[in-house]
Amino acid sequence: MKRVFWKNLYPKIDTWKKLKEEGNDTETILLRYAIAHIHELLEDNTPLYSTEEVYIAPPLTTRVRTGCILKNKKDDLYYVVLSPPCDLAVHNGKMKTDRVMLCEIDDYKIVSLEAIGSTGAAKRKKALLPAIKNNGREYYHWLPKNSIFEGGYINFRKVINYSPEELNVEFYPPELRIQDSIVKDILGRFSSYYARQGQPDFDFEKEAETIIKLLDAELVEVKS
C-alpha cells in the first residue's frame, strides 16, 4: 500500500484536489484507482488461490448483484444470479430489468460422484480433476466447498427467471457473493455455452468419397 501511495497516488495530489473542488466523490475515485494498482501488483508472483477467496461473505451490500448466491425458501436449493450488472442497476429504487436470471447450483456430492463414475480407487482423483478444473461437462462450473459455502456445480442448463418482486418473495436475502474476477469467468463460460453452433449434418462418408474421386481425376490429368 505504501508503494502505491507514494509512487502512484501522491504524485497526482493536485489532480485529486481539483476533482474534490469540482464536487466529485474523490474518496470513491481514489479507492477504485488504488484497487486497480493493487490488482496489478498481485498479478506478479501470486501464490495459488485459497478456495475461501472465491466468496465474499457476507456481501458488503444487501443489493442483489451479479454473482450473488441465493437460497430458495421452498426447496432450500441454491442459485447464482447471472444477469449482467447493467440489468441489475437500481434507478429510483427499482431495478433496470424486469427479469433476473438465475442458474441452479447442482449438488456437490452428486455431480462429483458422476464425474468419478466407476473409476477404480487409484484413478478417482484423475477422473475428478476435469470437473473441478471446468474441463469436463461444458454446462457445469465448479464452486468449491469450504468453510464459507457448501459448494456445488452451476448448471448452465438450469436457467430460471424471476421478476425483482418475485425474487424477494421466493428467495432469502443474499448471504454470500462470488468475487468479481471469478464471476467474469463464469459469465464468459455461460455465454460460450449458449453461443455454440453445431454444423449441419452431411453425409460425410459420401462427401469424402467425392473429394477423393475429384483429386484422383485431377492427378490423372496432370500425369497425362
Side-chain angles (χ1 to χ4, degrees):
M1 285 296 294
K2 286 183 179 179
R3 177 180 170 184
V4 171
F5 177 80
W6 289 111
K7 292 191 68 175
N8 301 94
L9 297 180
Y10 186 75
K12 301 177 181 65
I13 191 168
D14 290 338
T15 300
W16 313 132
K17 287 180 178 179
K18 183 179 179 182
L19 288 170
K20 181 70 173 178
E21 291 169 359
E22 292 172 350
N24 292 286
D25 183 359
T26 49
E27 182 177 349
T28 300
I29 292 171
L30 281 168
L31 185 59
R32 285 198 304 251
Y33 191 73
I35 289 171
H37 285 72
I38 292 168
H39 271 300
E40 186 166 321
L41 286 174
L42 290 174
E43 288 177 0
D44 295 330
N45 302 317
T46 56
L48 292 175
Y49 270 81
S50 161
T51 61
E52 278 73 19
E53 294 179 70
V54 172
Y55 309 111
I56 298 172
L60 301 179
T61 173
T62 56
R63 184 166 62 85
V64 172
R65 300 175 61 195
T66 310
C68 277
I69 294 176
L70 305 178
K71 188 175 185 179
N72 191 286
K73 293 179 180 179
K74 293 179 180 177
D75 54 23
D76 287 338
L77 294 177
Y78 285 100
Y79 295 76
V80 60
V81 177
L82 290 187
S83 289
C86 56
D87 279 0
L88 301 177
V90 176
H91 297 287
N92 298 321
K94 294 184 66 176
M95 278 188 190
K96 183 178 178 182
T97 184
D98 63 347
R99 307 299 292 178
V100 180
M101 182 175 66
L102 290 82
C103 271
E104 187 176 330
I105 300 173
D106 281 355
D107 185 88
Y108 194 90
K109 184 177 180 180
I110 291 173
V111 179
S112 295
L113 287 173
E114 286 177 355
I116 294 169
S118 58
T119 307
K123 296 182 178 179
R124 286 164 65 86
K125 184 172 77 172
K126 185 177 180 181
L128 182 60
L129 281 174
I132 64 175
K133 288 183 175 181
N134 297 317
N135 292 326
R137 294 178 180 174
E138 56 193 358
Y139 55 86
Y140 276 138
H141 190 98
W142 175 66
L143 293 177
K145 178 183 179 70
N146 53 36
S147 60
I148 299 174
F149 181 54
E150 64 184 51
Y153 293 80
I154 301 172
N155 190 332
F156 295 150
R157 289 179 172 178
K158 295 183 178 180
V159 180
I160 190 166
N161 292 279
Y162 290 91
S163 70
E165 294 75 23
E166 290 171 336
L167 200 69
N168 293 329
V169 173
E170 298 287 335
F171 292 87
Y172 294 107
E175 296 179 2
L176 70 159
R177 180 174 175 267
I178 302 168
Q179 63 128 307
D180 282 337
S181 62
I182 294 172
V183 168
K184 289 176 182 176
D185 182 41
I186 294 169
L187 290 175
R189 294 193 67 240
F190 178 82
S191 299
S192 296
Y193 178 72
Y194 280 101
R196 297 170 305 149
Q197 288 189 358
Q199 66 174 352
D201 283 333
F202 296 100
D203 187 343
F204 291 108
E205 295 285 339
K206 179 182 177 182
E207 294 303 316
E209 289 176 5
T210 301
I211 292 170
I212 290 170
K213 287 178 181 178
L214 288 171
L215 293 173
D216 288 344
E218 289 178 3
L219 186 60
V220 170
E221 288 180 9
V222 170
K223 288 182 178 180
S224 61

